[in-house]
Amino acid sequence: MSNQGQVPAEVIDCCSPLAREPLSGAQAVELSRLFKALGDPVRLRLLSLIASHEGGEACVCDLTGVFDLTGPTISHHLKVLRQAGLISGDRRGTWVYYRAEPDALRRLSAVLVPDAVVGA
Amino acid sequence: MSNQGQVPAEVIDCCSPLAREPLSGAQAVELSRLFKALGDPVRLRLLSLIASHEGGEACVCDLTGVFDLTGPTISHHLKVLRQAGLISGDRRGTWVYYRAEPDALRRLSAVLVPDAVVGA
DNA sequence: GCCCTGGATCGACGACTGTCAAGGTAGAGA
DNA sequence: TCTCTACCTTGACAGTCGTCGATCCAGGGC
């Protein structure tokens, strides 16, 4: 349940907002990996379900029932979100719990708009 | 050079931030279309080049030289960004100029973070 | 009229992505 | 230990995406 392969935070932190100066190739590659992870309706709903769940975390069993998809497919989408660093997961007993990573969302938000409130 | 097929603004405006309540299926589909448009390094750099260009707009001829890609490919990526409503373009004489749509970027930013400054 | 230049569209190809069925692993309880 | 549940991984398939060459359209200058 480790999060190996996720985008290193410092790459994003160094990014200026889109409209201030052009992105370098490396910055664009790292950022696009995050946006691509959000570019699927199922993953967007999964992230939303996790982030808005009480306690800020959700068990996989809370998520599978919502969609008309098989377990492996949900698991695949969760892995994509995890590798992008947008969520993190840990096993507690029988169940696996996922939690959103607000820092990653704030960094993405800050890239889109120069004057977004990042420190909130 | 019309922007037909782009995401209607009201669909995004009605979206609560991800972490406040779960996205509906329709909201997720529309939002994922925007994020998917940003999920490619070339398109991310194109948007950044346009948004940060002096005057807030850039001619296609300013963009093609930056990448190691053919004209049709650049044109394709610009079309994807245009259909997502992230940029708009108009022909002035021989050249076509593209301009970023700050409102679309702000809406996306607001979805990611509940307390982002949207009205700025 | 003709030709040149800047861009867009079309058609095709390889690569990647989303999905599922089958099988595997970890923890809990008998 | 054996079994059940919860979840992940693998392998395979269809559909989508990024890219290019070829072609087409619109404006400007001759």
Side-chain angles (χ1 to χ4, degrees):
Chain A
M1 202 52 50
S2 64
N3 295 326
Q4 79 284 5
Q6 74 177 58
V7 176
E10 59 272 19
V11 175
I12 311 298
D13 280 334
C14 73
C15 286
S16 304
L18 277 179
R20 196 131 68 211
E21 60 178 331
L23 257 44
S24 75
Q27 287 173 330
V29 168
E30 295 301 334
L31 276 174
S32 68
R33 201 175 298 179
L34 292 180
F35 284 121
K36 190 182 296 183
L38 295 177
D40 182 279
V42 173
R43 288 198 290 271
L44 219 39
R45 292 186 71 190
L46 280 173
L47 179 60
S48 173
L49 283 166
I50 294 169
S52 65
H53 202 264
E54 56 178 340
E57 63 183 13
C59 171
V60 178
C61 57
D62 297 325
L63 306 172
T64 49
V66 178
F67 302 91
D68 219 17
L69 296 170
T70 63
T73 299
I74 299 293
S75 189
H76 161 69
H77 286 302
L78 289 171
K79 183 181 181 181
V80 172
L81 288 171
R82 205 171 62 228
Q83 289 186 335
L86 293 166
I87 62 175
S88 60
D90 66 312
R91 172 169 225 125
R92 290 210 287 281
T94 305
W95 290 275
V96 177
Y97 289 88
Y98 283 99
R99 167 190 328 274
E101 294 286 346
D103 286 351
L105 295 176
R106 272 199 287 269
R107 280 195 295 269
L108 272 190
S109 177
V111 169
L112 294 176
V113 176
D115 43 11
V117 176
V118 179
Chain B
M1 199 51 52
S2 64
N3 294 324
Q4 79 287 5
Q6 76 178 52
V7 177
E10 58 274 18
V11 174
I12 311 300
D13 280 334
C14 73
C15 286
S16 304
L18 277 180
R20 198 133 64 208
E21 60 178 332
L23 257 45
S24 75
Q27 288 172 331
V29 167
E30 295 301 334
L31 275 175
S32 69
R33 202 177 296 179
L34 292 179
F35 283 121
K36 191 183 294 184
L38 294 176
D40 182 280
V42 174
R43 288 198 290 269
L44 219 40
R45 292 186 71 192
L46 280 173
L47 179 61
S48 173
L49 283 165
I50 293 169
S52 65
H53 202 266
E54 55 177 341
E57 62 181 13
C59 172
V60 177
C61 58
D62 298 324
L63 306 171
T64 48
V66 178
F67 302 91
D68 219 16
L69 295 172
T70 64
T73 300
I74 299 292
S75 189
H76 161 70
H77 286 303
L78 288 172
K79 183 181 182 182
V80 172
L81 287 171
R82 205 171 62 229
Q83 290 187 334
L86 293 166
I87 62 174
S88 60
D90 66 314
R91 172 167 227 129
R92 290 211 284 282
T94 306
W95 289 276
V96 176
Y97 290 87
Y98 281 98
R99 169 191 324 275
E101 293 287 345
D103 284 351
L105 295 176
R106 272 199 286 270
R107 280 195 293 269
L108 271 191
S109 176
V111 169
L112 294 175
V113 176
D115 41 12
V117 175
V118 179

